[in-house]
C-alpha cells in the first residue's frame, strides 16, 4: 500500500486505486499531477480493501483486464462503503449494465470505448484528432490556431448501385479458398450450360426454350437428348465433352459447398461481412481495442476488415456476431496485405498489444504502398522514437496515457466523456461539446513552455519540424 501526498494539504482528494492492470502507472501519475492523494492496492484481498476503506476516501478506482475481477472488487467496495464514488473498468456491456443496476453510484468505463474515437478519427480523415457523437450527429476534433475544436462530419455512405457492385465483386472474387472453389464450380457449370444452349439453338435450329431444356438434360445427365441424335457427328462429340465437363464442375462445386459448410467462415461471400476492396480500413489486431475500432468505423460508414493471427482468439467469434469480416494471418505479411487490396485502402491501423509488432506491421504496409495513411498504437518509448528517425510511420496514439488520464479525470469528478492527446496534452470532451485540457495533466504547462521555446528557436534558426507529427500521441 502506498500513500504519497505530492500536493500536500488536507484539502487534496483521497483516491483509492485498486488495480492489476498496465494502466495503473498512468492513472496514478495523472492523479498525483492533479494534487490527489493516492492509496494504491495491487491484487488486494477483501481484508486489504476493508482496511483501506477505514480511511476517508473521495473515490475508488478499480482497474482490471478481467471483467469478472472488476465486478467482484467493485461489489466488495460497494458492500464496505456504500455510496462512495466508484469508477470501474468493464469491457462487456452486459456486465456493465448489471453493475450499474446494483450500484447506482458507479461509473463504468471501458478502455476500448475511451480510445476508439481517437483511433477512428485519423482513419476516417487525416485532419482529425478524434471523433465524437453529438445530438446533432457525428463531429470530428480538428486542430486549430486556438486549440482543438469540433467540426461536423458526414458519415460515408454508398448508393444502392454501389452496394450492388461491391457485393457482385465479392461474389466473383471471393477471398477464402472454400468460396473460390464453390464459385469456380458454379461459374464453370453455368458457362457450359450457356455454351451448350447456344450450340443447340444454332446447330439444330431449335428455339431458345428447347435449346435450354436439351442442354440442361445433357449436362445433368438425367437422360438421353433426342435432339443430339439428329445432329452431325462433331456435335455429338461436343455434347459428350459438355457432359464430362459438367461432371467435373459438379464435383468442384460440391467440394466447395462441403468446405464452406464445415470450415470456419470468417469472411462472407456477400453482405456486410464480405471483404471490402476499395476505400476501406485494414485493422490489424482483433483484441478489445481492435474490435471497438472496427465498430466505430462501421458507425462512420467506413468499410473495414480485421486481421487476427489467432483463429481461436476471444474476439473472432464476437466479430462475426457484429458482421465484421476477419482474415486469419500475420498482419505484417506483404502478400496478405496485397490480397486485401491495400493499394486501394483508406488507411491501415496496427492496434495489437505488442508495440514492436505494430511498428513492423506499419513498416511492412508502407513497403506495399508508400503513401498509405497509417496509424500505430504505441507509447512514446525509445523504440518508437528511433523508428521515427528512420521511417515515417504515420500517426502514433498513446492509448495508455489517454485511457489512464480519462480514468483519473473521472475519479476527480470531471464530466468529460471522451479524451484525446494533442501536442502532448490530454484533452477532455465534455457532454456539451466543450474541449478543455485535463487540469492535472503534467504536460499542460510544461508543453506550452517547451512549444514556446522551440517556436522561438525555430524562428531564429529556420529549422522545421522533425519526422514526428505534433498530433501524435
Amino acid at each position: 500500500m502506498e500513500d504519497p501526498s505530492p500536493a500536500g494539504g488536507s484539502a487534496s482528494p483521497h483516491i483509492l486505486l485498486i488495480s492489476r492492470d498496465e494502466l495503473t502507472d498512468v492513472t496514478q501519475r495523472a492523479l498525483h499531477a492533479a494534487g490527489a492523494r493516492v492509496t494504491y492496492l495491487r491484487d488486494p484481498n477483501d481484508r486489504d480493501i476493508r482496511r483501506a476503506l477505514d480511511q476517508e476516501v473521495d473515490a475508488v478506482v478499480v482497474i482490471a483486464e478481467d471483467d469478472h475481477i472488476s465486478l467482484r472488487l467493485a461489489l466488495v467496495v460497494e458492500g464496505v462503503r456504500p455510496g462512495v464514488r466508484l469508477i470501474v473498468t468493464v469491457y462487456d456491456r452486459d456486465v456493465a449494465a448489471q453493475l450499474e443496476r446494483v450500484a447506482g453510484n458507479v461509473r463504468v468505463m471501458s478502455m476500448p470505448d475511451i480510445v476508439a474515437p481517437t483511433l477512428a478519427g485519423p482513419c476516417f480523415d487525416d485532419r482529425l484528432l478524434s471523433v465524437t457523437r453529438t445530438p446533432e450527429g457525428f463531429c470530428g476534433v480538428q486542430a486549430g490556431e486556438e486549440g482543438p475544436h469540433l467540426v461536423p462530419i458526414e458519415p460515408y455512405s454508398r448508393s444502392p448501385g454501389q452496394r450492388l457492385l461491391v457485393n457482385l465483386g465479392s461474389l466473383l472474387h471471393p477471398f477464402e479458398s472454400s468460396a473460390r472453389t464453390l464459385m469456380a464450380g458454379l461459374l464453370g457449370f453455368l458457362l457450359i450450360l450457356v455454351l451448350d444452349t447456344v450450340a443447340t439453338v444454332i446447330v439444330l435450329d431449335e428455339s431458345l426454350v428447347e435449346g435450354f431444356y436439351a442442354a440442361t438434360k445433357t449436362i445433368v445427365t438425367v437422360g438421353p437428348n433426342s435432339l443430339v441424335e439428329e445432329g452431325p457427328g462433331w456435335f455429338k462429340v461436343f455434347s459428350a465433352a459438355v457432359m464430362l465437363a459438367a461432371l467435373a464442375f459438379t464435383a468442384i462445386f460440391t467440394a466447395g459447398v462441403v468446405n464452406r459448410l464445415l470450415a470456419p467462415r470468417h469472411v462472407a461471400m456477400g453482405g456486410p461481412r464480405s471483404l471490402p476492396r476499395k476505400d476501406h480500413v485494414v485493422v490489424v489486431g482483433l483484441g478489445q481495442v481492435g474490435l471497438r475500432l472496427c465498430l466505430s468505423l462501421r458507425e462512420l460508414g467506413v468499410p473495414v476488415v480485421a486481421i487476427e493471427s489467432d483463429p481461436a482468439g476471444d474476439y473472432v467469434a464476437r466479430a462475426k456476431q457484429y458482421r465484421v469480416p476477419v482474415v486469419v494471418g500475420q498482419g505484417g505479411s506483404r502478400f496478405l496485405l496485397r490480397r486485401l487490396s491495400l493499394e486501394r485502402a483508406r488507411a491501415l491501423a496496427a492496434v495489437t498489444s505488442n508495440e514492436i509488432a505494430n511498428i513492423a506491421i506499419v513498416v511492412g504496409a508502407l513497403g506495399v504502398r508508400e503513401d498509405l495513411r497509417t496509424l500505430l498504437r504505441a507509447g512514446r518509448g525509445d523504440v518508437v522514437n528511433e523508428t521515427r528517425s528512420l521511417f515515417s510511420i504515420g500517426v502514433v496514439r498513446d492509448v495508455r496515457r489517454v485511457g489512464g488520464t480519462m480514468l483519473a479525470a473521472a475519479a476527480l469528478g470531471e464530466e468529460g466523456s471522451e479524451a484525446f492527446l494533442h501536442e502532448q496534452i490530454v484533452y477532455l470532451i465534455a457532454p456539451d461539446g466543450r474541449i478543455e485540457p485535463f487540469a492535472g495533466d503534467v504536460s499542460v504547462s510544461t508543453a506550452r513552455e517547451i512549444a514556446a521555446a522551440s517556436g522561438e528557436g525555430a524562428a531564429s534558426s529556420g529549422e522545421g519540424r522533425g519526422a514526428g507529427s505534433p498530433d501524435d500521441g
Side-chain angles (χ1 to χ4, degrees), residues 268-303:
M269 297 177 63
R273 286 183 57 235
S274 62
L275 194 69
R277 298 291 183 179
K278 184 179 179 182
D279 204 28
H280 56 289
V281 175
V282 179
V283 177
V284 184
L286 194 62
Q288 293 182 356
V289 174
L291 181 57
R292 281 284 192 264
L293 175 59
C294 290
L295 297 180
S296 297
L297 291 171
R298 272 282 182 86
E299 290 180 350
L300 294 170
V302 178

Side-chain angles (χ1 to χ4, degrees), residues 448-460:
R448 290 171 179 170
E449 296 173 359
I450 294 174
S454 63
E456 294 174 358
S460 60

Side-chain angles (χ1 to χ4, degrees), residues 158 163-164 166-168 170-171 260 266-277 280-281 294-295 298 301-306 319-326:
R158 286 194 177 103
R163 289 195 295 268
L164 178 61
V166 169
N167 287 325
L168 183 60
S170 298
L171 285 173
R260 194 70 183 163
H266 303 302
V267 178
M269 297 177 63
R273 286 183 57 235
S274 62
L275 194 69
R277 298 291 183 179
H280 56 289
V281 175
C294 290
L295 297 180
R298 272 282 182 86
V302 178
V304 64
V305 57
K320 183 177 181 180
Q321 296 176 355
Y322 287 117
R323 299 187 296 180
V324 175
V326 180

Side-chain angles (χ1 to χ4, degrees), residues 16-17 24 64 70 146 167 226 233 245 248 252 267 293 330 365 389 396 414 470 473:
L16 175 59
L17 179 59
T24 303
S70 295
E146 299 181 357
N167 287 325
S226 58
I252 294 174
V267 178
L293 175 59
Q330 298 298 323
S389 65
V396 178
E414 296 281 353

Side-chain angles (χ1 to χ4, degrees), residues 409-431:
L412 296 174
E414 296 281 353
E415 296 182 354
S417 57
E418 295 177 5
F420 64 92
L421 191 60
H422 173 55
E423 293 184 344
Q424 300 313 301
I425 299 176
V426 178
Y427 289 83
L428 304 181
I429 304 177

